[in-house]
Amino acid sequence: MPQTPAHQEQLDAVAHAVDRASRADAATLAQLKTEILGRKAGTLTLILRSLAGLPSEERRAIGARANQLKRALEEAIAQRELALQQEARAPKALDWTMPSRPVWRGAVHPVNAVTDEICEVFRTLGFTRVTGPEAETEDYNFTKLNIGLDHPAADEHDTFYLGPGVLLRTHTSPMQARVMEQYQPPIRIVVPGRVYRRDAFDPSHSPVFEQIEGLAVDEGISFVDFKAAIDTFVKLFFSRDTAVRFRPSFFPFTEPSAEVDAQCQMCRGSGCSTCKQTGWLEIMGAGMVHPAVFENCGIDPERYTGYAFGMGVERIAMLRHGIPDIRLLWENDMRLLSQFSE
Ligand code: DAH
């Protein structure tokens, strides 16, 4: 015959099972059902079955508790089963810890990034960034810059005309004249912007591209200042050990004029296909401002001197990033652009 303390212990175990049932998973519920309510050997079944052999007082007390616990357990199991069913049918719960899908937030286009970088280098050298109109007059685009209208650059084949005397600027140099007319020296400016030419697209040409113009005007600016500024720019923009060379050239608005080469970034000067085996890459046209340009813009060429330069940004971006074809910079192909995210 089971003794009271044993009954007590078993009843406590059943009370614990009621508690467990309210949190159990389906497998545990099934296990509790057999262990406690099972018809053959369930704990409660055995207790109830043993009541007959107990003294009447104990029988009443234990029987009452056992029946109460049985109802409580059955109810707890039923409720939990219902809750589990509802949970299974409910839409999948959100997992707040799951990492979100990456959203591409866009990036600065490599040409704009290089423009900013170049202007930033010149800012540290004291140059202010200014911009100007893309629709220009013949006067600013050519005449004031000492380019006669019979010059090949002014030829209809190179220039997009918008109307008589009005065109899409073929270079950023007209801003030299606009700034000199408006401000007295000292002047130090860089002018980034789009320019247009009647060229067909090919690996190194585009009918629209970006240039950066530079102009420094002051008393006593010499050819040495000019060379030093360009050399400093190349070393700050490319690297400290990049060599620079100046080749004599001709532009109507500078005298003397030069084309500036930087040591090839691909082969470091030993010769490769990018630099056509020369070890050098042309990066800009430049020179000392022609006195005629000063006169055209109301600046006294006896008192002031200066230097100017102009560079193609796509070309420099291509060199910097090893991009072989300028058209890649205009196609907006995500496979290229997404490589420039921060
Ligand atoms: N404007 C010239 C071009 O588009 C580039 C250039 C050459 C600009 C020499 C200058 C310069 O300021 O001094 O081809």
Side-chain angles (χ1 to χ4, degrees):
M1 275 297 101
Q3 297 300 298
T4 307
H7 278 125
Q8 209 52 59
E9 220 171 86
Q10 286 174 326
L11 288 168
D12 286 346
V14 174
H16 179 62
V18 174
D19 193 44
R20 273 177 72 200
S22 61
R23 284 173 271 118
D25 59 18
T28 312
L29 287 179
Q31 188 194 336
L32 288 177
K33 273 195 208 165
T34 5
E35 268 176 24
I36 310 222
L37 301 169
R39 265 183 221 179
K40 280 188 192 151
T43 315
L44 268 173
T45 315
L46 294 179
I47 294 174
L48 291 169
R49 219 178 268 160
S50 71
L51 289 177
L54 294 177
S56 64
E57 230 166 81
E58 278 179 36
R59 180 170 56 209
R60 222 173 294 131
I62 293 173
R65 176 114 198 272
N67 276 314
Q68 185 203 346
L69 282 172
K70 190 178 176 200
R71 275 194 304 278
L73 182 60
E74 282 168 348
E75 198 180 307
I77 290 176
Q79 269 188 14
R80 183 63 187 154
E81 279 176 342
L82 189 69
L84 286 174
Q85 269 172 29
Q86 284 172 346
E87 218 171 85
R89 258 184 272 123
K92 274 278 162 282
L94 284 178
D95 175 2
W96 298 103
T97 67
M98 195 166 94
S100 60
R101 239 172 258 150
V103 175
W104 193 57
R105 281 195 264 148
V108 178
H109 190 281
V111 171
N112 289 338
V114 165
T115 298
D116 289 347
E117 225 182 297
I118 292 172
C119 290
E120 177 56 22
V121 169
F122 279 105
R123 190 185 67 77
T124 67
L125 301 178
F127 287 71
T128 304
R129 177 175 179 156
V130 298
T131 54
E134 292 176 19
E136 261 298 3
T137 60
E138 250 175 10
D139 209 28
Y140 281 105
N141 197 78
F142 298 125
T143 318
K144 286 182 200 274
L145 294 170
N146 203 33
I147 307 173
L149 291 180
D150 53 355
H151 188 277
D155 194 300
E156 262 233 59
H157 295 286
D158 289 323
T159 308
F160 286 113
Y161 271 88
L162 300 173
V166 185
L167 44 77
L168 289 173
R169 64 181 176 192
T170 59
H171 51 180
T172 43
S173 305
M175 277 304 286
Q176 289 190 29
R178 287 186 176 274
V179 169
M180 283 193 282
E181 278 181 350
Q182 241 185 320
Y183 300 93
Q184 280 301 301
I187 293 169
R188 274 180 184 76
I189 52 157
V190 277
V191 189
R194 284 195 174 171
V195 304
Y196 302 81
R197 288 184 198 175
R198 287 168 58 137
D199 275 330
F201 269 114
D202 72 24
S204 54
H205 292 90
S206 159
V208 45
F209 57 102
E210 295 271 339
Q211 279 190 337
I212 296 178
E213 191 78 14
L215 175 71
V217 183
D218 204 348
E219 282 179 41
I221 289 187
S222 69
F223 197 76
V224 172
D225 298 312
F226 160 60
K227 284 185 77 174
I230 301 303
D231 191 66
T232 304
F233 160 69
V234 170
K235 289 186 162 53
L236 289 175
F237 179 78
F238 289 107
S239 65
R240 294 175 68 145
D241 57 352
T242 300
V244 183
R245 76 177 184 186
F246 295 75
R247 276 180 294 112
S249 185
F250 172 81
F251 298 102
F253 35 91
T254 45
E255 179 58 35
S257 301
E259 270 164 324
V260 179
D261 294 342
Q263 200 176 40
C264 179
Q265 298 298 296
M266 308 293 165
C267 62
R268 309 266 8 138
S270 62
C272 67
S273 60
T274 302
C275 60
K276 301 202 178 80
Q277 311 305 327
T278 62
W280 296 97
L281 292 162
E282 189 196 320
I283 55 161
M284 64 171 80
M288 300 301 289
V289 179
H290 197 294
V293 176
F294 280 141
E295 261 162 26
N296 293 341
C297 302
I299 286 184
D300 180 3
E302 297 296 322
R303 181 166 169 205
Y304 294 107
T305 48
Y307 58 85
F309 54 87
M311 56 190 130
V313 184
E314 281 86 352
R315 213 182 130 70
I316 294 178
M318 287 160 73
L319 294 176
R320 156 111 345 153
H321 298 296
I323 298 171
D325 190 318
I326 195 171
R327 291 171 290 196
L328 289 166
L329 294 171
W330 289 95
E331 282 168 354
N332 289 333
D333 187 325
M334 293 297 290
R335 288 169 299 179
L336 180 106
L337 297 181
S338 61
Q339 294 178 50
F340 293 92
S341 308
E342 318 88 77

